[in-house]
Amino acid sequence: MKLLVVGGGGREHAIIKKLKENKEVTEIFACPGNGGIAADATCVPIGAKDIDGIVTFAKEHAIDFCVVAPDDPLVLGCVDALEAEGIPCFGPDKAAARIEGSKVFSKNLMQKYGIPTADYAVFDDPKAALAYITEQNTFPTVIKADGLALGKGVVLAQDLAEAKDAIHSIMEDKKFGDSGNQIVIEEFLEGPEVSVLSFTDGKTLVPMISSMDHKRALDGDKGLNTGGMGTVAPNPYYTKAIADECMEKIFLPTLDAMQKEGCPFKGCLYFGLMLTKNGPKVIEYNCRFGDPETQVVLPLLKTDLLTVMRAVHDETLDQLEVEWKDGAAACVIVASGGYPASYKKGIPMDLGKAESLQDTIVYHAGTALEYGKLVTAGGRVLGVTATGDDLQDALNKAYEAVQEIHFDDMFYRKDIGQRALKALN
Ligand code: AMP
Ligand code: GLY
C-alpha cells in the first residue's frame, strides 16, 4: 500500500512512524514533511494547503490511502477533493471540519443539542461586542475569533481595556483576516484541562487515551500561549467516572448532533475539555489529531493504526476492538529561543544519542535538511517522547534524551508532567 500523509510537523511524524508498523505499507509520502520525517517517508515539496497539488500528486502516484492531518487542509476541503478522485482518506470532509473551522458553528451546535460548554454570545459588530462586555462587566472574559487563527485566536481578557484591544485587533485590524469577521465572547471557566482525541466513523466513537497539554511557553505556566510545550498521557484528572460522564453527555451527543445536522464526522475528533466544578465542559473541538497530544497518545496504541483508520473510512469501527498499552507517555517539546514570538531558523543541530535510547522517540516538528545536515526550521523543533511503566518513568526517560540534544538558543520546559504527578499523589 502506498500512503500519503498531508502535513509536516511532530504530529505527522508520529502518525507516519505508527503507520510504518503495518507490514502492508510499502511507501509513505509526506506533503511537505520535514527534515526528520525524511528518514521515515518520502518528502514531497507540496504545501499542506495546496489542495490541487496534493490531489494531482496522489493521482499520479496511485496513492491507496491518504491521511489529512492539519486543520487548514481539512477546513479547505482536502478530503472532499481527494475522495472525489476516488482516493480514500482518513479525515473529516469540509462540512464536518466546520466543528473546528467555525467557533460560531460549534457553539451553536452545542447550544442546540444541550452539550455542556461555556455560556456565550456571537457578534459581527465590534461596537455591539464592546457594549455587551461593558454591560456584563465580569472579568476575565474570553474572546475568540470565529475562524482558524494558527491557535492564537483566543484572548483571555483580564479587564475592559484588554477586551477592547482584543476586539479591535481581531475585528477591525483583522489580525487573523476573515477569521475575525465574527467573534464569540464566552464565560471564563476554571478547572483542569483534558484533551481527549477519538476515532469516529460518524456512527461509532472510540476515545483514545486521555492526555494533558502544557500550553504556556515557560515553567510554572508562565509566558505566552504556544501550540503546546509538552504533553503527558494518560491524564490523571480524567477518571473512569468522568470518562463515562463525558461519553454520555458530550461525546455521543456530539456525534449525534453532527449526524442530525447532515454532516457526520469521520476521522479524529478532538475534545478539549475543562473539568469544572459543575462537571466537564467543552472548551473547543478540533477536527484533527492534537499536536503535541498525538506524540504521547499514538505510542500507547496497541492496535494497528492503519487498520483503525481504514475502519473509520469504511464505517466499520463497531467491528474493531481498539486496544491500548499499559503505562504512560511523556513528550517534551524542544523549541527555538524566542518562540512563540520571533526566532532564528537554520541553526545546526546535534541530537547526540537521543534517537537511539530505549523507549524513546524523537519526533521532528520544525527541522530541515541542509546539504544533508539537520538544522532548525520552526519554533517547535522536536518532540522528545518516552514511554514508561508510569508517568515518572516516562518523564525520566524523556528528560534524559533531551540532555543529549544541543543547538544554539534551544529551550524547553523543565516541569512537564509535574502537575499530573501531583494529581497522582
Ligand atoms: P483554544 O484555542 O480554543 O484551545 O483555547 C486556548 C486555551 O484558552 C484553552 O486551552 C484554554 O486554556 C483557554 N480557554 C479557552 N476558552 C476558555 C474559557 N471559556 N475559559 C477559560 N479558559 C479558556
Ligand atoms: N495541542 C492543542 C492542539 O493541537 O490544538
Side-chain angles (χ1 to χ4, degrees):
M1 278 193 87
K2 284 207 266 184
L3 309 184
L4 171 63
V5 175
V6 175
R11 164 184 55 205
E12 288 75 15
H13 200 188
I15 292 171
I16 287 167
K17 277 199 181 283
K18 202 73 191 171
L19 288 170
K20 268 181 72 177
E21 292 175 9
N22 183 306
K23 299 280 177 289
E24 274 181 78
V25 173
T26 48
E27 184 155 25
I28 305 183
F29 296 95
C31 292
N34 65 40
I37 289 177
D40 292 297
T42 306
C43 294
V44 184
I46 297 175
K49 288 198 267 186
D50 179 1
I51 311 290
D52 291 343
I54 291 165
V55 173
T56 304
F57 178 86
K59 276 165 59 184
E60 276 173 9
H61 289 77
I63 295 298
D64 296 300
F65 195 79
C66 180
V67 179
V68 183
D71 49 3
D72 286 305
L74 290 167
V75 170
L76 289 168
C78 190
V79 166
D80 310 57
L82 286 162
E83 298 245 346
E85 296 293 339
I87 298 156
C89 294
F90 178 87
D93 63 13
K94 188 175 180 172
R98 284 179 300 167
I99 201 163
E100 175 171 4
S102 167
K103 301 246 190 237
V104 173
F105 173 84
S106 68
K107 293 298 286 190
N108 290 345
L109 186 87
M110 287 186 269
Q111 185 175 56
K112 182 169 171 188
Y113 292 91
I115 298 164
T117 188
D119 289 340
Y120 73 104
V122 176
F123 295 92
D124 55 17
D125 170 31
K127 282 196 192 70
L130 196 61
Y132 172 82
I133 290 181
T134 310
E135 194 201 312
Q136 289 254 309
N137 196 31
T138 36
F139 297 97
T141 189
V142 185
I143 299 167
K144 300 184 172 184
D146 173 49
L148 296 181
L150 300 166
K152 293 180 185 138
V154 174
V155 178
L156 307 178
Q158 301 298 334
D159 53 38
L160 190 61
E162 283 185 21
K164 204 171 174 175
D165 273 357
I167 292 171
H168 180 71
S169 71
I170 296 173
M171 301 191 88
E172 289 166 341
D173 281 353
K174 297 272 180 204
K175 191 172 171 190
F176 308 113
D178 286 345
S179 285
N181 289 351
Q182 286 186 299
I183 58 168
V184 170
I185 296 177
E186 67 177 37
E187 171 200 8
F188 178 78
L189 299 177
E190 281 174 284
E193 285 187 54
V194 183
S195 306
V196 180
L197 285 57
S198 68
F199 293 112
T200 170
D201 62 3
K203 298 181 290 197
T204 303
L205 182 140
V206 178
M208 301 184 216
I209 278 195
S210 62
S211 53
M212 182 193 284
D213 196 0
H214 297 67
K215 289 199 190 267
R216 302 294 201 95
L218 306 175
D219 285 5
D221 291 327
K222 302 227 161 58
L224 295 170
N225 246 331
T226 71
M229 292 299 291
T231 35
V232 298
N235 184 324
Y237 290 101
Y238 192 69
T239 60
K240 171 80 171 63
I242 291 174
D244 290 345
E245 187 180 355
C246 289
M247 189 57 132
E248 183 201 336
K249 295 189 179 149
I250 295 175
F251 304 163
L252 294 178
T254 302
L255 201 63
D256 191 49
M258 292 298 276
Q259 262 173 29
K260 291 208 169 100
E261 292 298 305
C263 49
F265 190 99
K266 291 173 65 171
C268 173
L269 182 54
Y270 168 131
F271 299 89
L273 305 171
M274 195 167 274
L275 309 182
T276 74
K277 60 180 188 323
N278 299 318
K281 296 195 179 185
V282 178
I283 288 278
E284 60 160 350
Y285 292 115
N286 290 325
C287 66
R288 52 170 175 86
F289 284 96
D291 190 339
E293 284 89 343
T294 308
Q295 290 90 313
V296 287
V297 169
L298 288 187
L300 296 173
L301 177 64
K302 208 192 267 179
T303 312
D304 174 59
L305 178 61
L306 183 59
T307 305
V308 184
M309 288 183 158
R310 289 172 76 179
V312 165
H313 174 267
D314 298 342
E315 300 178 20
T316 55
L317 195 54
D318 60 332
Q319 292 161 39
L320 191 72
E321 200 187 338
V322 180
E323 293 184 289
W324 299 91
K325 297 177 191 170
D326 291 332
C331 173
V332 178
I333 297 293
V334 178
S336 299
Y339 174 77
S342 66
Y343 51 84
K344 287 191 206 135
K345 292 186 190 177
I347 300 174
M349 303 170 63
D350 174 7
L351 302 190
K353 292 198 286 289
E355 287 180 305
S356 59
L357 296 176
Q358 219 184 347
D359 300 330
T360 303
I361 315 176
V362 179
Y363 295 119
H364 290 239
T367 68
L369 291 172
E370 256 175 28
Y371 306 106
K373 292 247 162 45
L374 204 60
V375 297
T376 64
R380 292 190 295 176
V381 179
L382 301 168
V384 182
T385 293
T387 52
D389 294 336
D390 57 24
L391 180 57
Q392 185 65 66
D393 187 30
L395 284 166
N396 291 348
K397 288 178 193 161
Y399 276 109
E400 200 180 311
V402 168
Q403 302 313 311
E404 292 283 321
I405 296 166
H406 298 282
F407 59 87
D408 284 352
D409 292 343
M410 72 175 240
F411 84 98
Y412 56 92
R413 273 182 65 162
K414 303 195 173 52
D415 65 345
I416 299 302
Q418 289 308 313
R419 194 167 171 206
L421 283 176
K422 279 204 192 91
L424 285 168
N425 293 321

